[in-house]
C-alpha cells in the first residue's frame, strides 16, 4: 500500500521548527472522516496513541501508546472545530488535521510541527503508515498485520526523499 501513495513533504515552518505535511484524498464523506479523526474509538484503529480528554479547545489531553510501547505523555487541545479542524499539542510537537469536502470525498491534510529536523524521515514514515491505516479503516479493511514492517519498508524512501540531515534521529527502539 505504501508505494501507491504520495510521500509527505518536509518544510521549514518559519519559526525555527519543521513541518511534515501529508495530503490524502479519501473517498468518504466529510462526516465519516471527521469521526475517524476525532472519536477515540475510531482513532484507536489508526492513530499511534490514545487521545484521552475533552474534545474542546484548551482541554488537557493524555496520550498513551498501545501495550506501553513508550511512556505516556500530556498535551492540550489547541483547536477543535467540527467537522473540519482538530489541532493539539502532542508533547512538545503540534499535530493538525484539516478536512475539506471535495467531489467524491474528503481531502485530509495532516501537519506535524516539531523542533528537530533530524527526526523528519522517522516521523514521516510513521505518519505514512498511520495514514495508510486510516485509509484501510475507512475502506473497511483490516489493519495491517505488521505496521512496523510497513514502517521499515517506507522509511528508506523518506531518508532518500528528505536527505541525510532529516534522518539523524533513528528508528524507534526495537526496529
Amino acid at each position: 500500500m505504501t508505494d501507491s501513495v504520495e510521500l509527505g513533504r518536509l518544510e521549514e515552518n518559519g519559526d525555527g521548527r519543521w513541518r511534515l505535511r501529508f495530503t490524502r484524498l479519501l473517498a468518504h464523506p466529510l462526516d465519516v472522516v471527521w469521526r475517524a479523526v476525532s472519536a477515540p474509538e475510531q482513532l484507536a484503529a489508526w492513530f499511534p496513541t490514545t487521545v484521552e480528554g475533552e474534545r474542546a479547545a484548551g482541554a488537557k489531553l493524555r496520550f498513551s501508546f498501545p501495550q506501553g510501547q513508550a511512556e505516556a505523555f500530556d498535551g492540550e487541545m489547541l483547536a477543535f472545530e467540527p467537522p473540519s479542524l482538530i489541532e493539539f499539542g502532542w508533547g512538545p510537537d503540534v499535530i493538525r488535521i484539516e478536512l475539506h469536502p471535495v467531489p467524491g470525498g474528503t481531502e485530509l491534510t495532516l501537519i506535524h510541527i516539531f523542533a528537530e529536523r533530524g527526526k523528519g524521515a522517522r516521523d514521516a514514515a510513521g505518519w505514512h503508515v498511520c495514514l495508510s491505516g486510516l485509509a484501510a479503516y475507512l475502506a473497511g479493511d483490516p489493519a495491517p498485520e505488521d505496521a512496523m514492517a510497513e514502517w521499515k519498508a517506507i522509511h528508506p524512501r523518506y531518508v532518500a526523499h528528505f536527505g541525510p540531515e532529516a534522518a539523524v534521529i533513528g528508528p524507534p527502539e526495537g526496529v
Side-chain angles (χ1 to χ4, degrees), residues 14-35:
D15 62 358
R17 296 183 296 169
W18 293 88
R19 174 178 53 227
L20 288 169
R21 177 184 300 272
F22 296 86
T23 301
R24 297 290 186 266
L25 297 176
L26 302 167
H28 304 279
L30 180 67
D31 63 320
V32 170
V33 178
W34 174 253
R35 284 191 302 276

Side-chain angles (χ1 to χ4, degrees), residues 19-22 37 47 78-81 84-90 93-100 108-113 127:
R19 174 178 53 227
L20 288 169
R21 177 184 300 272
F22 296 86
V37 302
F47 199 77
L78 302 173
F80 191 78
E81 300 172 12
S84 61
L85 174 66
I86 185 168
E87 180 178 65
F88 47 85
W90 201 50
D93 299 351
V94 173
I95 305 297
R96 180 180 179 96
I97 300 173
E98 302 170 1
L99 302 178
H100 300 283
L108 177 145
T109 301
L110 183 143
I111 297 169
H112 177 185
I113 299 171
W127 289 119

Side-chain angles (χ1 to χ4, degrees), residues 38-55:
S38 64
E41 66 280 1
Q42 293 193 37
L43 279 166
W46 68 275
F47 199 77
T49 66
T50 60
V51 182
E52 302 162 34
E54 184 182 354
R55 299 308 196 250

